[in-house]
Amino acid sequence: MGMGLLNIWRRGLHTRSARLQMIQGARPTKRICIVGAGPAGFYAAQLILKQLDDCVVDVLEKLPVPFGLVRFGVAPDHPEVKNVINTFTKTAEHPRLRYFGNLSLGSDVNLQELRDRYHAVLLTYGADQDRQLELENEQQGNVISARKFVAWYNGLPGAENLAPDLSGRDVTIVGQGNVAVDVARMLLSPLDALRTTDTTEYALEALSRSQVERVHLVGRRGPLQAAFTIKELREMLKLPNVDTRWRTDDFSGIDLQLDKLQRPRKRLTELMLKSLKEQGRSSGTKQFLPIFLRAPKAIGPGEMEFSVTELQQDAAVATSSTERLPSHLILRSIGYKSSCVDGAINFDTRRGRVHNIDGRALKDDASGNVDPGLYVAGWLGTGPTGVIVTTMNGAFSVAKNICDDIAANVLDTSSAKPGFDADGKSVVTWDGWRRINDFEIEAGKAKGKPREKIVSINDMLRVAGV
């Protein structure tokens, strides 16, 4: 370790945060715990701190580092999206907020303990699992989830050993959302463009040896139901040395429906039709191949079989026709789902989310009775839908419900609650995160990158001074 990095690591090891001392001495009447330091958690904290001037908000996070999907989900070549971290940092540095990293609900602390120590608990720990294709051979090594692939190139601890096989020509991505397009772009982008991002060094090394030349992006339904946004498609169409090839038959009659579409969908469809009309004018050595009206049917050696579908009332219905695509590597990108980390959570295992009404958790799904003091926001409450702005609006709404319930005395805040006791636990404070952040930024400078992420939890804890 260089002296500059060592000094960053040592900074503040023997000091306590004056902010934390002020919080502990103030003895506020209301204590609220947020489990999960991703976008939903920070947006909720922001509104609660603004609305309630006599509360303390404690944020508990499983990882030593904050920001959730903004750090580990947003594509490295989208730094402008990560600017929201500046807003989250201001919230985290509010004198009435405490951050506890490296603390897992269900193992380090259980839900009942938190409910005993806080007037309200808000669960925002996100979606950490992915939906399956439910096909034979899906567990083969050449079939992985887009979620894991994104985690691999973004440096999520535990994903560094994924080792995706990029030695073949053809990759098939099942799904047509923004995550699927992000993955396609990462596979087809010039390496030099990625070297100046915070893509992990091991991912850059693997991508430098990649033999991938064609990426199929396959969806069950048609162009009018494509889930990617116009921004994502524009970026794909502008990739140097990459030809986008549409199938003309997929767009039969689509132009006749343009006038019936709402503006965002109309603009996206117009861009697809324009690209279709212009295709063949460039001669890139790599190809991006969006394919519509195909449903996964079987996985075979070096290929994937799809059923040809047709739309019936916007639903994809399989026909008897099939098509095989060469597929050295298969990436499924058909949705995320959350997991139940504590037995006291009323969890919908089928939908992969917490049973709730407007963010108020239910005691049980049969009666529909709300469990006072327990709330849920983000993908854990809604399922994996929308973008960061969607999450922001949802989190603000649930946070307002918490404030309203307190104002209406739905929650008893008359007696003091102790809050979380971190004694004896290896907890990363906000000052600890600052040391990690400084260390990563300093390590990235030597490589011309915004940061070089630490991917080992033990290394994070060491740098944080835990």
Side-chain angles (χ1 to χ4, degrees):
M1 183 187 301
M3 288 304 297
L5 298 181
L6 185 60
N7 288 335
I8 288 172
W9 171 61
R10 287 174 172 168
R11 188 183 305 157
L13 279 180
H14 305 295
T15 62
R16 287 288 183 183
S17 166
R19 173 170 60 91
L20 188 56
Q21 290 178 353
M22 182 174 69
I23 292 170
Q24 292 171 332
R27 298 188 181 280
T29 58
K30 303 173 183 68
R31 288 190 177 272
I32 297 167
C33 178
I34 297 176
V35 181
F42 273 113
Y43 281 128
Q46 178 184 333
L47 188 138
I48 290 169
L49 290 166
K50 182 179 180 180
Q51 295 289 321
L52 302 177
D53 58 8
D54 57 348
C55 76
V56 161
V57 174
D58 288 351
V59 178
L60 278 57
E61 167 58 42
K62 177 175 69 173
L63 293 171
V65 296
F67 308 135
L69 274 182
V70 177
R71 177 179 169 101
F72 297 116
V74 173
D77 59 348
H78 284 176
E80 73 285 353
V81 180
K82 298 186 183 187
N83 288 338
V84 72
I85 285 176
N86 298 327
T87 301
F88 297 162
T89 297
K90 289 180 182 178
T91 299
E93 293 175 348
H94 192 287
R96 289 186 283 114
L97 186 143
R98 303 190 299 174
Y99 173 78
F100 298 99
N102 196 46
L103 200 64
S104 293
L105 177 63
S107 54
D108 297 316
V109 62
N110 64 52
L111 181 58
Q112 190 56 53
E113 288 178 79
L114 294 181
R115 300 195 68 180
D116 291 342
R117 290 179 167 272
Y118 293 91
H119 297 106
V121 175
L122 171 59
L123 304 177
T124 65
Y125 61 79
D128 61 346
Q129 303 294 319
D130 59 277
R131 300 193 181 280
Q132 304 284 311
L133 297 169
E134 306 295 343
L135 295 177
E136 191 176 351
N137 299 325
E138 190 173 353
Q139 305 309 315
Q140 291 180 167
N142 70 322
V143 184
I144 60 178
S145 73
R147 177 186 63 83
K148 288 182 178 179
F149 190 78
V150 170
W152 170 75
Y153 63 65
N154 268 329
L156 179 69
E160 63 270 23
N161 298 319
L162 183 65
D165 185 356
L166 305 178
S167 63
R169 179 190 181 194
D170 288 274
V171 172
T172 294
I173 303 174
V174 182
Q176 293 183 328
N178 281 343
V179 172
V181 179
D182 280 346
V183 169
R185 193 176 64 256
M186 290 294 291
L187 287 167
L188 295 172
S189 287
L191 195 65
D192 286 345
L194 299 178
R195 290 194 188 279
T196 58
T197 70
D198 63 0
T199 305
T200 55
E201 204 62 24
Y202 60 76
L204 290 173
E205 169 61 25
L207 289 168
S208 73
R209 293 181 275 105
S210 171
Q211 300 298 308
V212 174
E213 295 180 0
R214 303 196 306 183
V215 176
H216 307 87
L217 191 82
V218 187
R220 293 173 179 265
R221 299 193 292 169
L224 295 182
Q225 293 79 33
F228 51 76
T229 60
I230 192 169
K231 177 181 181 292
E232 300 286 337
L233 178 57
R234 278 201 189 108
E235 290 180 341
M236 285 302 305
L237 297 178
K238 292 177 181 177
L239 276 186
N241 199 36
V242 176
D243 282 345
T244 298
R245 297 292 179 92
W246 309 91
R247 293 184 173 184
T248 304
D249 289 349
D250 288 346
F251 291 86
S252 177
I254 294 295
D255 57 334
L256 302 177
Q257 302 184 56
L258 284 174
D259 291 341
K260 303 175 185 177
L261 304 177
Q262 293 185 350
R263 187 169 182 270
R265 175 62 64 182
K266 181 178 180 180
R267 290 174 62 229
L268 173 61
T269 307
E270 286 174 338
L271 181 59
M272 286 190 279
L273 289 169
K274 179 176 182 288
S275 176
L276 170 64
K277 185 178 179 180
E278 296 174 351
Q279 74 181 14
R281 296 182 184 179
S282 59
S283 55
T285 60
K286 297 182 179 181
Q287 293 183 339
F288 174 55
L289 305 166
I291 302 171
F292 298 98
L293 300 170
R294 298 293 184 271
K297 183 178 182 181
I299 297 169
E303 66 177 18
M304 188 166 186
E305 185 178 9
F306 292 86
S307 295
V308 177
T309 65
E310 57 185 25
L311 287 181
Q312 296 181 10
Q313 297 180 337
D314 271 357
V317 178
T319 67
S320 58
S321 300
T322 62
E323 178 184 3
R324 287 182 170 86
L325 293 176
S327 309
H328 187 87
L329 176 66
I330 297 169
L331 292 157
R332 63 174 176 268
S333 185
I334 56 173
Y336 291 21
K337 62 180 180 179
S338 300
S339 53
C340 183
V341 299
D342 190 292
I345 298 173
N346 180 20
F347 195 78
D348 184 339
T349 54
R350 183 176 67 86
R351 296 184 177 180
R353 64 188 190 189
V354 175
H355 286 289
N356 73 96
I357 298 176
D358 297 330
R360 295 178 175 94
L362 300 182
K363 286 183 178 179
D364 61 86
D365 49 307
S367 69
N369 292 329
V370 167
D371 193 353
L374 184 61
Y375 302 83
V376 60
W379 285 3
L380 182 61
T382 64
T385 59
V387 292
I388 289 178
V389 172
T390 317
T391 298
M392 177 187 73
N393 291 331
F396 282 166
S397 177
V398 176
K400 184 179 183 301
N401 287 343
I402 295 174
C403 297
D404 289 348
D405 287 352
I406 289 174
N409 293 319
V410 173
L411 307 182
D412 180 8
T413 60
S414 60
S415 58
K417 295 276 189 172
F420 185 70
D421 182 4
D423 286 349
K425 298 186 183 297
S426 298
V427 168
V428 175
T429 64
W430 192 255
D431 286 339
W433 155 243
R434 282 174 167 170
R435 289 190 282 274
I436 294 172
N437 185 51
D438 290 345
F439 187 98
E440 291 183 340
I441 291 172
E442 188 71 19
K445 286 179 180 177
K447 301 171 183 176
K449 302 169 68 174
R451 71 174 62 239
E452 185 62 44
K453 290 176 183 173
I454 302 172
V455 298
S456 160
I457 286 181
N458 287 337
D459 288 346
M460 288 179 180
L461 298 178
R462 176 177 54 80
V463 171
V466 175

